[in-house]
Amino acid sequence: MAPVPPGIRFLASFNRDQWYKAFTFALTFLLYTSFHLSRKPISIVKSELHKNCSHVMRAPTESISGQQPVLHPELDCSWKPFDRNNYKQLLGAMDYSFLCAYAIGMYLSGIIGERLPIRLYLTVGMLTSGLFTCLFGLGYVYDIHSLGFYVFVQVANGLVQTTGWPSVVTCIGNWFGKGRRGLIMGLWNSHTSVGNILGSLIAGYYVSSNWGLSFIVPGVIIAAMGVICFLFLIEHPNDLKIASAQSSAPSSQVSQMAFKNIMYSRLLRIRLSISQQVLHVTQVSPAVCLQGVVEFSLCLLFAKLVSYTFLFWLPLYITKAAHLDAKKAGDLSTLFDVGGIVGGILAGVISDKMGKRATTCAVMLLLAAPTVYTFRCVTFISLFTVVCMLLVCGGLVNGPYALITTAVSADLGTHKSLKGNARALSTVTAIIDGTGSVGAAVGPLLAGLLSAQGWDQVFYMLMTADFLALLLLLRLVMKEHCSHRKRPGVAVE
């Protein structure tokens, strides 16, 4: 008898539950990758919306002595209303519209997500997000030059995209326990950077020829992923038990069992809905009062301010500072996201090893501020310098952000004081990420305002935000060190 190949033996070593865990891990990874893939195009298209509007081109052969030269604004700008001198403020307003709506919607999303099936809630969010992303691109197709149209689309898209994060974190938290959570979440959270990279590449491919497709293609992708979510997402391991019981029962009993399950589910949902309305305050307040929720939420506010400023403004900064076209700047900015992948994984591994989430974040924030300043000072000396600094900055900036939004949120959302309420994880996640989204909204807006006075002002803001994030974690860092002396190896409490 021929020996079994090693690969087959490896696959056969996984049981049924492990296969479903791996499937859920991969599916939720791809689902949220599509969310970030659809957010990235705006940062790539900015340099195409405003090319050389600050420099008025003249035709020397048409100028007559003693008369004003003939101007050719159509040679300068590609799209109105971003052809004005205040184009940075207008672009910043578009970023702010999306991120402000996202921040406000995130607080509501976790509460709503507790009361609805995750699969349906996430599917509707992805389909509508695909619709609004495509609408932005249709502005190019139908030659729309109204700022109000683009702001409306950004606001609507920001609201519906809040369905994503609480849903996928709750789903992944249902399937994976606390063991090696930092490593698992670090690997899983790389979907953010992978989505940014893919979004940059897709948008960069179309930006010079037809920037509308830079939005339409990602919009179609996230809508298609929404259909896949509806067909294949398994919210909780318990759902498999019900499905297994139904499939193993005789055919004559399947319909009766399904009817009983449906009726029981509906009655249970009505009962839970009534109790949640009556005890709403007592359900939410424990999540808010958990040790570390406030500190990590405020820390994430400043950490996400830095991360999203890079996300929305790095390609334009590279375009202006290095005098590159939009496609090359977008490709170069993906190195920041590659560094983010490595940083997120390292943060998870180190925090698992040390059992100190806050300390890991604090060390990375301490190193991030001087690294950001160095990036501004020494970048563009050579291509090698650019590559190195983008990788290091991406790792240090996105490491704490990734750790807080995944492993820390899951730790706090499954705290023993919540008495095993898995749905509370959605609320805790929404509270932390919603507070962080306030910083994500403010950062790009301030970048648009400060960049008019010079890019140095933007980098000073980023360094200040990193130091403030570090200060907010000092109490938790001290608490971790004190508790670690008594109980070595214990993670976030």
Side-chain angles (χ1 to χ4, degrees):
M1 184 176 180
V4 179
I8 300 298
R9 288 202 305 267
F10 174 76
L11 294 176
S13 64
F14 290 93
N15 58 35
R16 181 170 172 270
D17 291 339
Q18 288 174 325
W19 275 111
Y20 278 110
K21 273 188 176 183
F23 175 77
T24 303
F25 182 95
L27 180 59
T28 52
F29 181 95
L30 293 175
L31 292 179
Y32 207 71
T33 294
S34 65
F35 273 95
H36 266 266
L37 182 148
S38 66
R39 296 178 195 175
K40 185 64 177 180
I42 184 64
S43 64
I44 305 299
V45 174
K46 279 178 180 177
S47 56
E48 189 70 17
L49 294 176
H50 180 94
K51 288 184 176 178
N52 297 307
C53 294
S54 58
H55 302 285
V56 179
M57 296 184 65
R58 296 172 172 83
T61 59
E62 297 179 9
S63 61
I64 303 175
S65 179
Q67 297 183 5
Q68 292 293 331
V70 180
L71 304 182
H72 296 271
E74 69 277 1
L75 300 177
D76 305 296
C77 310
S78 48
W79 209 255
K80 295 180 180 180
F82 306 103
D83 56 346
R84 307 169 187 170
N85 291 332
N86 65 337
Y87 72 97
K88 291 181 180 178
Q89 287 84 345
L90 297 179
L91 294 173
M94 281 208 308
D95 295 339
Y96 181 76
S97 300
F98 174 88
L99 295 168
C100 185
Y102 185 86
I104 295 173
M106 185 59 71
Y107 288 105
L108 301 175
S109 180
I111 299 174
I112 297 173
E114 285 185 353
R115 291 156 172 76
L116 296 174
I118 293 176
R119 182 172 61 91
L120 297 179
Y121 185 56
L122 187 56
T123 299
V124 172
M126 297 184 77
L127 291 175
T128 51
S129 180
L131 170 65
F132 289 118
T133 303
C134 289
L135 274 180
F136 199 104
L138 291 176
Y140 176 88
V141 177
Y142 292 101
D143 200 30
I144 299 174
H145 296 276
S146 170
L147 180 64
F149 169 80
Y150 296 107
V151 169
F152 166 76
V153 173
Q154 288 287 82
V155 170
N157 201 10
L159 289 174
V160 297
Q161 285 227 350
T162 60
T163 59
W165 188 243
S167 299
V168 294
V169 171
T170 300
C171 188
I172 204 73
N174 291 338
W175 279 91
F176 292 90
K178 290 188 176 183
R180 299 169 64 187
R181 177 173 279 170
L183 172 60
I184 293 172
M185 289 294 194
L187 291 169
W188 179 74
N189 192 64
S190 62
H191 53 50
T192 299
S193 298
V194 172
N196 291 339
I197 293 171
L198 293 177
S200 298
L201 295 177
I202 293 173
Y205 183 81
Y206 296 107
V207 65
S208 299
S209 58
N210 183 346
W211 64 257
L213 290 176
S214 297
F215 291 92
I216 294 174
V217 173
V220 172
I221 291 174
I222 189 174
M225 292 303 300
V227 176
I228 294 175
C229 171
F230 177 78
L231 294 176
F232 297 106
L233 183 65
I234 305 172
E235 301 177 18
H236 199 281
N238 291 338
D239 296 340
L240 285 177
K241 297 178 181 179
I242 298 176
S244 299
Q246 291 179 354
S247 61
S248 62
S251 58
S252 59
Q253 299 178 4
V254 170
S255 59
Q256 296 179 4
M257 185 177 297
F259 177 76
K260 290 180 180 179
N261 285 333
I262 292 173
M263 294 303 298
Y264 175 76
S265 177
R266 289 181 178 177
L267 291 173
L268 183 60
R269 191 173 299 165
I270 293 173
R271 179 184 174 188
L272 288 174
S273 177
I274 295 174
S275 63
Q276 285 171 348
Q277 293 298 327
V278 175
L279 303 176
H280 174 70
V281 176
T282 60
Q283 283 183 341
V284 176
S285 58
V288 178
C289 298
L290 279 177
Q291 180 74 31
V293 168
V294 174
E295 290 89 343
F296 278 117
S297 297
L298 294 176
C299 173
L300 184 62
L301 186 150
F302 292 105
K304 210 167 180 179
L305 182 152
V306 178
S307 180
Y308 268 67
T309 301
F310 274 102
L311 173 66
F312 282 91
W313 286 92
L314 181 59
L316 182 62
Y317 168 71
I318 295 175
T319 300
K320 300 299 182 182
H323 306 291
L324 299 175
D325 59 36
K327 185 180 185 305
K328 291 181 180 178
D331 293 342
L332 202 56
S333 67
T334 59
L335 294 172
F336 181 84
D337 298 304
V338 173
I341 295 175
V342 178
I345 295 173
L346 284 177
V349 172
I350 294 171
S351 65
D352 277 347
K353 186 72 174 178
M354 297 174 57
K356 299 176 181 179
R357 308 283 196 213
T359 303
T360 304
C361 291
V363 171
M364 299 186 81
L365 289 169
L366 181 63
L367 297 174
T371 304
V372 169
Y373 180 75
T374 305
F375 171 71
R376 171 59 177 162
C377 294
V378 306
T379 190
F380 308 122
I381 292 178
S382 66
L383 181 61
F384 178 76
T385 306
V386 176
V387 172
C388 292
M389 292 308 302
L390 284 174
L391 290 172
V392 175
C393 280
L396 294 176
V397 168
N398 287 331
Y401 162 40
L403 187 62
I404 294 173
T405 54
T406 54
V408 171
S409 296
D411 287 342
L412 295 171
T414 54
H415 193 272
K416 60 184 179 180
S417 66
L418 297 176
K419 300 177 182 179
N421 181 9
R423 293 286 186 178
L425 176 57
S426 179
T427 299
V428 172
T429 302
I431 291 171
I432 293 177
D433 199 56
T435 306
S437 297
V438 175
V442 173
L445 176 66
L446 291 178
L449 297 174
L450 294 175
S451 60
Q453 305 172 18
W455 287 104
D456 286 337
Q457 306 300 321
V458 177
F459 282 89
Y460 292 148
M461 174 195 72
L462 298 179
M463 290 186 291
T464 302
D466 273 329
F467 279 123
L468 290 175
L470 172 62
L471 291 176
L472 288 165
L473 286 182
L474 290 181
R475 191 178 75 87
L476 291 179
V477 171
M478 297 301 296
K479 183 176 177 61
E480 281 183 351
H481 282 278
C482 292
S483 62
H484 189 74
R485 293 175 182 176
K486 299 177 182 177
R487 295 178 295 172
V490 178
V492 173
E493 189 171 330

